[in-house]
Amino acid sequence: MNTIAEHPVAPEQIMAFFDGELSAADAQNVAAHLDGCSACASLVGQFRDLSQSLTQWSVALVPQSVEDAVKGFAARTSATSKSGKPPAPFLFGIWNGKFVPFAVTGIAACALLMVGVEISDSYRNARIIPHRSEVVELPNKDTDTAGYDAPASVPPSLPAQSPMNVATPAIAAMAQQTSALDGNAAASPAASMQLNSPTTSAAPMIAHTASLAITVKDLSAARASLDAILARHQGYAAQLTVESTANFPRSVTASLRIPASGLSSAIGDLKTLGRVERESQSGEDVSQQHTDLAERIKTARATEESFRGILQQRTGKISDVLEVEQSIARVRGEIEAMEAEQTRLEHRVDYATIELQLNEEYKEEIPSAAFSLRFHNASVAGYRNASEIVASIILFLVQYVLSILIWLALVCIPALLIWRYRKALSRL
Amino acid sequence: MDNTTRRSSAAKPTGESTDEDLMADFCHGSQDAFNELFLRYKQPLFGFFRRRVADAAQAEELTQESFVAVIRASSRYEPSALFRTYLYAIGLKILSAYRRKAAFRATFTGAPDAYREPAALGNLEMEYVLRQAVGKLDRLEREILMLREFEQLSYVEIGELLHLPVNTVRSRLFRARLALHNLLADPTPTADAEQARIEESA
């Protein structure tokens, strides 16, 4: 069949003319063109031949059974239709089979998804529950800490919690009874706290800290010199670490404590060990911390004394007495913790801290190991790496392969069904 | 050939009732009117299904189902179009539903080729070649070509049935005829088609 672009009549128009689909005027024009154009006339002949060929696709006659069934149904319907309209299609015709495959596939996918999510949640909950139980088993601080339980490391800037403010009602009742018996207002802890005014220290308390990084030629000699310096200045090493790794320079990291009065001379001695790479000094004023701590200790002691006074003049029940003893023990523990903190603070002032870093100058060494030894080491390392990779793959598969398969099934099965459905539909 | 007739209001012989008149009479309870309609369209409609469905028994069922649908919908019938268009619209809907169900079954049974057997197991060589060539056309173009060649529907009717503009119907029909002509001019069967042909002849 030839397309004739240069002709005034389009091939589609010729086809429409052949099919009798043109208006009278258009048909007249096309007919006039066909009279003078053999190519277009042959196109019509080709259309005619094609239609003639298709007539050879014959179909058998419709069976008599179909005719009988349809006419019988028509007769029955005609007889019953006078009684009323036929029933409306189910669900207004929506459920006519068109959405059945999609509905079934969608429901199956949703069900699988829900199962997957449920399994995932169960697995996650199973991992979380032990932690939850641990949390539940913790003592309830709100109910147990009726007394003064502030930690010893509470920052000094925060307001100290008064033991009287958290005293139990039993203690308060006993205190009232004691006050009534004695008629002495000064016996109450609050009164004693009001009488004690804070004391301030005139001399500032400075905690000195210095940092030195020194590169030395011989670390062993430097280490010996370091010990000598410490002995000379009556200091000590609070912490000291020596690192010696192959192909890397050796180093010493130390935290030195030197009496504050000899800090400058000690730093000067340390600088003689080698080339100073870095040096810094700082001082922290801890006077306020020390003062606050002293006041808190004093207050706590007064509270302790008050409790002891209450205990000696007790008139309450045994349970109240026990509660007072517990309070005394708690206050005593707090006093000891604060005293330790005070001692540590004073020690920081008395002894300056020097963070020292000694690095040895690195010298490349000719490897002495033979090739066979290096080959052996490389082989062992390679075997270890390979086995670790294999083990990692196996562990990964064991841990995740089931989940991956489930998710693949969730995604692939609906996709496969839809693909097969569309493929089958296209073949029909 | 099934002697397809075009008996619409545009082509009826003088004195003979049109399809639309008969349908109107049937809607008012005339059994004879329906018998006449059935007589006119039983063979065209059966041919419509037979050329599109592999199984002959299935084509009979679909034909019967289409007429039953016409009977059931008679109370809601409104003569807004030709009865022929109305009937083939029902036939196309039923055919689409059948194809979806068959495809759905094939999705799980994995045997869609069972529905792909040739409609008529005739012995004529030309008929076989025609079926093969038409089957190779694009799906929409094949439908347009068959509606035009076998059901003798106009471009407008085909457009209404397939929800396409008339110009689209014309251009797609032209392409279908062009493709079919080329296929018939050079019918080189594929290996599968040749194997099916051998099995069919056996």
Side-chain angles (χ1 to χ4, degrees), chain A residues 22-40:
Chain A
L22 291 181
S23 64
D26 291 340
Q28 194 173 358
N29 290 337
V30 174
H33 175 71
L34 289 176
D35 288 340
C37 181
S38 59
C40 292

Side-chain angles (χ1 to χ4, degrees), chain B residues 103-119:
Chain B
F104 185 66
R105 283 195 297 270
T107 302
F108 296 100
T109 59
D113 289 335
Y115 304 96
R116 193 65 189 130
E117 291 299 318

Side-chain angles (χ1 to χ4, degrees), chain A residues 1 11 15 19 21 51 53-54 56-58 60-63 67 74 98 101 417 420-421 427-428, chain B residues 1 38 42-43 46 60 99-100 104 107 110 113 115-116 126 130 148-150 154-155 170 177 181:
Chain A
M1 197 173 289
M15 183 191 71
D19 288 331
E21 294 282 344
S51 294
S53 301
L54 288 172
Q56 298 181 51
W57 188 347
S58 60
L61 294 176
V62 61
E67 185 171 348
K98 184 177 181 180
L417 291 177
R420 290 182 66 173
Y421 172 78
R427 287 186 176 183
L428 291 173
Chain B
M1 185 66 181
F38 183 76
K42 65 176 183 180
Q43 193 60 35
F46 179 66
E60 293 170 14
R99 282 173 169 163
R100 284 194 298 270
F104 185 66
T107 302
D113 289 335
Y115 304 96
R116 193 65 189 130
M126 187 59 194
L130 276 174
R148 175 62 205 171
E149 292 290 345
F150 297 116
S154 68
Y155 294 177
R170 187 167 60 180
R177 278 174 164 157
H181 177 83

Side-chain angles (χ1 to χ4, degrees), chain B:
Chain B
M1 185 66 181
D2 52 343
N3 299 324
T4 304
T5 56
R6 299 184 61 189
R7 295 191 180 187
S8 65
S9 55
K12 71 176 181 61
T14 307
E16 191 174 349
S17 297
T18 63
D19 299 338
E20 292 73 30
D21 293 339
L22 289 173
M23 188 61 192
D25 292 344
F26 173 60
C27 291
H28 290 89
S30 172
Q31 182 67 30
D32 294 336
F34 177 77
N35 290 340
E36 176 62 22
L37 278 175
F38 183 76
L39 187 65
R40 290 181 185 180
Y41 284 101
K42 65 176 183 180
Q43 193 60 35
L45 193 62
F46 179 66
F48 170 82
F49 284 117
R50 191 67 190 90
R51 290 188 184 91
R52 289 165 174 80
V53 177
D55 189 6
Q58 193 65 51
E60 293 170 14
E61 277 190 27
L62 296 178
T63 305
Q64 183 176 323
E65 195 177 334
S66 299
F67 280 111
V68 167
V70 170
I71 295 168
R72 281 180 170 160
S74 60
S75 60
R76 301 188 300 274
Y77 175 74
E78 292 180 1
S80 58
L82 293 177
F83 173 76
R84 184 176 59 175
T85 310
Y86 173 70
L87 180 63
Y88 283 119
I90 290 175
L92 273 177
K93 277 199 168 186
I94 289 175
L95 182 66
S96 299
Y98 161 75
R99 282 173 169 163
R100 284 194 298 270
K101 289 175 186 173
F104 185 66
R105 283 195 297 270
T107 302
F108 296 100
T109 59
D113 289 335
Y115 304 96
R116 193 65 189 130
E117 291 299 318
L121 298 178
N123 295 323
L124 294 176
E125 179 76 12
M126 187 59 194
E127 185 180 328
Y128 173 80
V129 172
L130 276 174
R131 288 200 310 268
Q132 293 292 322
V134 171
K136 290 177 183 175
L137 295 177
D138 173 77
R139 192 175 180 185
L140 179 61
E141 292 174 0
R142 179 173 67 227
E143 195 62 57
I144 292 173
L145 178 75
M146 293 179 77
L147 288 172
R148 175 62 205 171
E149 292 290 345
F150 297 116
E151 277 72 48
Q152 305 270 310
L153 298 186
S154 68
Y155 294 177
V156 175
E157 289 174 298
I158 295 172
E160 288 176 359
L161 280 177
L162 301 179
H163 308 290
L164 295 172
V166 175
N167 286 336
T168 303
V169 172
R170 187 167 60 180
S171 61
R172 301 299 288 265
L173 177 61
F174 182 79
R175 286 168 56 182
R177 278 174 164 157
L178 193 69
L180 183 61
H181 177 83
N182 293 334
L183 286 169
L184 291 176
D186 184 21
T188 52
T190 61
D192 293 341
E194 189 65 24
Q195 181 65 27
R197 181 180 170 185
I198 293 169
E199 291 175 359
E200 184 181 325
S201 60

Side-chain angles (χ1 to χ4, degrees), chain A residues 9 43 138 177 209 243 248 257 295 329 348 424 426:
Chain A
V9 180
L43 187 61
L138 284 173
Q177 291 170 1
T209 306
E243 291 185 7
F248 286 96
R257 293 297 175 87
E295 291 301 320
R348 278 184 62 198
S426 66

